[in-house]
Amino acid sequence: MSERMVPRAHTVRLELDDEPGKLLNALDPIAEHGGNLLSIFHERGNRTPRGQIPVEVDVEATPERFDRIVSTLRETGVNVVQAGAERYSEELTVLLVGRLIETDLSDTLTQFEHCSSASVADVSLTVADETDEVSSARIRLAAHAGETDRALAAIHEVAAEKDLTVISPLTRGDSG
Amino acid sequence: MKLAIMGAGAVGASVAELASTYGHEVTAIADSNSAAIDPTGLDTDAVLTSKRTSGAVGDDDPDAVLAGTYDVLVEATPTTLGDANPGYNHTVEALERDRHVVLANKGPIAERYDEIRTSERDSDGRVLFDATVGGAIPVLTTIGDLGRSNVTAVRGVLNGTANFILSRMAAESLDYEHVLAEAQDLGVAEADPTFDVDGTDAALKCVILANVLFDGGYALSDASVTGIREIPGTALQLAAEDGRTIRLIGEVIDDEICVEPRLVPETGTLAVSGTQNIVQLHTEHAGRLNISGRGAGGHETATAVLGDINRLS
Ligand SMILES: NC(=O)c1ccc[n+]([C@@H]2O[C@H](COP(=O)([O-])OP(=O)(O)OC[C@H]3O[C@@H](n4cnc5c(N)ncnc54)[C@H](OP(=O)(O)O)[C@@H]3O)[C@@H](O)[C@H]2O)c1
């Protein structure tokens, strides 16, 4: 039996809008594609930087089916942050410097996700004193494997439009 | 070898001072308005003392230097952009006289590489310029030894002043302006630090690397350059909370030249501190080579210049 045919447990972190029915809708593709729902951990009270609710779901499925589940989830507009196995997610940390608050940080983050197809996993913000209006943020993103360069390019573009500076990690070649 | 030295600043004076220990003789040295010339060999101590005390190296005519007696012209006048003069004209004139040229001056190699190579082809003289990238670190010599086609990418910290400022900002949680003033007091940064903090100096070195790796065709205008002026102390703090720091990294990858502040692991190879420089060569068959050391300073740069001169002997 090929490895692609063996069912395995996968953890998916979904970010859902806080609206009735969102969770149920999100779970549909799992059954639809032959996945077996093992557990749901609903982090109520906990919010993502964009005000969504993170939900952690354990699914048992063959890697092939799991791939289909994840892409269907994404197609239906659900934010999938960590799709279990590493090959779905490459972590990427960038610093963002500039007038972050005045240029609407949450809009910036939404645009990052929209344009880069990476998800914002974590944001730390330091707002400088008034005399110096420049603030800094550290943003951790999860990108699809092999797509960090593309994601970075998109992030640079969004930032440039708001006159923000991105300090990016080394990606091409090696990061040492 | 007989050396004619153009420029009597930190580099030119150090080459003059150390030449005899390498078995070479200085037959001429010029600064911006004076020269000392002696085809049988100058007393370099006397010349350097004169420069220190009177501001002039001697009473001879600077225009006579290039026509004089020498095997190697050492070009150590200020780096300029665009036409890269006076360095470019000095280099071409010496080549026309079939003399070798060793440059510390980055301008001609970064801005007018192809023209210099053309002049070199028509000359019996050769052009070497190891000192232009990484000071005492033998970056170009190592690339030559590896064979440029075996080097797939180069990345590094190529400006000691910018690196000093970033390391101090991170270590002391201080702001750019504060650390810059300190660096100026220590003599690590010049009164006008523009070339260093805006990334121009690192970019010139990357352009030189690209010219060497891809056999010409590049100038400063081909590089994408961002400096460190805009980095607030808070950005370094946020980076540190996450085990990272910021370094001004120059890259030549896939024939793209880029200098910009980047996030690197705090304990990673590229996070050298103080005025240290580091260069990483990515090779076709041998993985990554890291060479680090002092990227600037009179004696350091003169060491690279004299290494080139030895290769010509
Ligand atoms: N310093 C380093 O660590 C380092 C490292 C690598 C490469 N370099 C490069 O090496 C070169 C020299 O650096 P440096 O630190 O020695 O600079 P510097 O201290 O500013 O000295 C420059 C010297 O060039 C002289 N000069 C200016 N115009 C001239 C002309 N037309 N003809 C002859 N001499 C002229 C100046 O004369 P006056 O004395 O009359 O002003 C001065 O003596 C620069 O291109 C620099 O980028 C420096």
Side-chain angles (χ1 to χ4, degrees):
Chain A
M1 201 152 84
S2 127
E3 208 192 316
R4 301 283 296 162
M5 309 300 286
V6 185
R8 286 200 297 139
H10 305 265
T11 302
V12 195
R13 192 174 137 101
L14 311 174
E15 294 182 352
L16 303 172
D17 292 337
D18 189 11
E19 286 167 27
K22 284 284 174 189
L23 179 60
L24 273 179
N25 287 346
L27 299 180
D28 275 350
I30 298 176
E32 204 178 298
H33 292 288
N36 186 14
L37 192 60
L38 298 176
S39 72
I40 304 176
F41 179 57
H42 205 175
E43 298 173 52
R44 277 227 172 269
N46 207 352
R47 293 292 168 128
T48 70
R50 288 164 321 294
Q52 290 180 306
I53 302 174
V55 180
E56 226 169 68
V57 179
D58 286 333
V59 182
E60 191 181 50
T62 65
E64 205 167 73
R65 285 179 171 166
F66 182 66
D67 283 357
R68 253 181 278 142
I69 291 170
V70 171
S71 35
T72 311
L73 283 169
R74 286 193 169 130
E75 274 161 25
T76 58
V78 175
N79 252 328
V80 184
V81 180
Q82 275 163 14
E86 226 177 28
R87 62 210 159 85
Y88 286 101
S89 112
E90 261 169 39
E91 232 180 58
L92 186 64
T93 299
V94 300
L95 293 180
L96 194 62
V97 176
R99 297 172 55 109
L100 304 180
I101 308 302
E102 295 84 341
T103 57
D104 192 349
L105 182 59
S106 74
D107 172 68
T108 308
L109 296 175
T110 309
Q111 285 199 49
F112 278 179
E113 295 198 321
H114 186 72
C115 303
S116 72
S117 78
S119 327
V120 174
D122 185 51
V123 178
S124 309
L125 179 68
T126 306
V127 182
D129 41 320
E130 292 139 67
T131 49
D132 167 20
E133 287 160 310
V134 172
S135 311
S136 308
R138 187 183 66 233
I139 302 166
R140 194 158 53 84
L141 299 128
H144 300 265
E147 289 191 11
T148 48
D149 281 343
R150 220 173 52 82
L152 273 175
I155 285 168
H156 273 272
E157 229 165 86
V158 171
E161 252 162 53
K162 296 193 174 194
D163 208 14
L164 306 174
T165 306
V166 181
I167 300 178
S168 42
L170 305 169
T171 52
R172 291 188 294 179
D174 209 330
S175 59
Chain B
M1 300 270 244
K2 289 186 193 303
L3 314 182
I5 304 172
M6 282 295 194
V11 176
S14 298
V15 173
E17 181 192 335
L18 300 177
S20 64
T21 65
Y22 282 74
H24 305 301
E25 202 172 35
V26 180
T27 50
I29 182 163
D31 61 21
S32 60
N33 352 259
S34 73
I37 302 175
D38 185 344
T40 65
L42 287 165
D43 175 351
T44 50
D45 283 348
V47 170
L48 296 177
T49 305
S50 155
K51 175 70 182 161
R52 266 195 303 276
T53 52
S54 74
V57 287
D59 307 325
D60 295 310
D61 176 8
D63 293 333
V65 170
L66 288 168
T69 305
Y70 61 98
D71 303 304
V72 183
L73 178 77
V74 174
E75 221 311 317
T77 64
T79 290
T80 57
L81 307 181
D83 71 3
N85 275 319
Y88 175 80
N89 285 342
H90 292 162
T91 303
V92 169
E93 272 185 54
L95 286 171
E96 280 166 0
R97 295 171 203 271
D98 289 322
R99 312 298 169 77
H100 301 299
V101 183
V102 171
L103 295 102
N105 180 353
K106 297 170 270 276
I109 306 297
E111 296 284 62
R112 303 181 75 175
Y113 186 83
D114 297 349
E115 293 165 86
I116 298 245
R117 286 303 194 199
T118 303
S119 299
E120 187 189 29
R121 269 193 290 280
D122 297 335
S123 168
D124 290 337
R126 286 181 61 201
V127 181
L128 293 177
F129 42 90
D130 194 58
T132 58
V133 180
I137 310 172
V139 182
L140 298 176
T141 302
T142 306
I143 291 175
D145 288 351
L146 291 165
R148 63 186 169 86
S149 60
N150 293 319
V151 177
T152 53
V154 181
R155 180 180 268 162
V157 170
L158 289 162
N159 185 277
T161 304
N163 201 68
F164 176 89
I165 292 173
L166 290 174
S167 340
R168 290 288 295 166
M169 282 174 71
E172 310 292 334
S173 304
L174 291 170
D175 271 328
Y176 170 81
E177 298 297 338
H178 189 115
V179 175
L180 173 63
E182 179 197 64
Q184 285 167 327
D185 287 345
L186 290 169
V188 169
E190 299 186 26
D192 177 4
T194 316
F195 255 44
D196 297 316
V197 298
D198 285 353
T200 312
D201 173 74
L204 287 169
K205 291 165 181 168
C206 288
V207 170
I208 292 171
L209 284 164
N211 277 330
V212 167
L213 288 176
F214 306 117
D215 201 19
Y218 296 89
L220 184 60
S221 51
D222 298 309
S224 137
V225 190
T226 310
I228 63 165
R229 261 183 227 259
E230 309 295 330
I231 300 176
T234 51
L236 282 148
Q237 285 157 27
L238 282 173
E241 283 170 16
D242 199 33
R244 294 162 213 252
T245 191
I246 301 173
R247 287 292 180 266
L248 184 64
I249 303 286
E251 284 183 337
V252 182
I253 297 184
D254 300 340
D255 83 7
E256 274 173 44
I257 305 169
C258 177
V259 173
E260 62 180 14
R262 304 289 286 266
L263 263 182
V264 299
E266 212 167 15
T267 52
T269 327
L270 288 173
V272 290
S273 66
T275 57
Q276 288 278 302
N277 283 23
I278 181 160
V279 175
Q280 275 187 345
L281 302 173
H282 296 238
T283 67
E284 196 77 63
H285 307 294
R288 219 168 58 190
L289 300 177
N290 301 307
I291 357 177
S292 62
R294 295 191 194 161
H299 278 184
E300 289 79 357
T301 309
T303 297
V305 167
L306 288 157
D308 275 347
I309 294 170
N310 281 348
R311 275 182 280 279
L312 292 167
S313 311

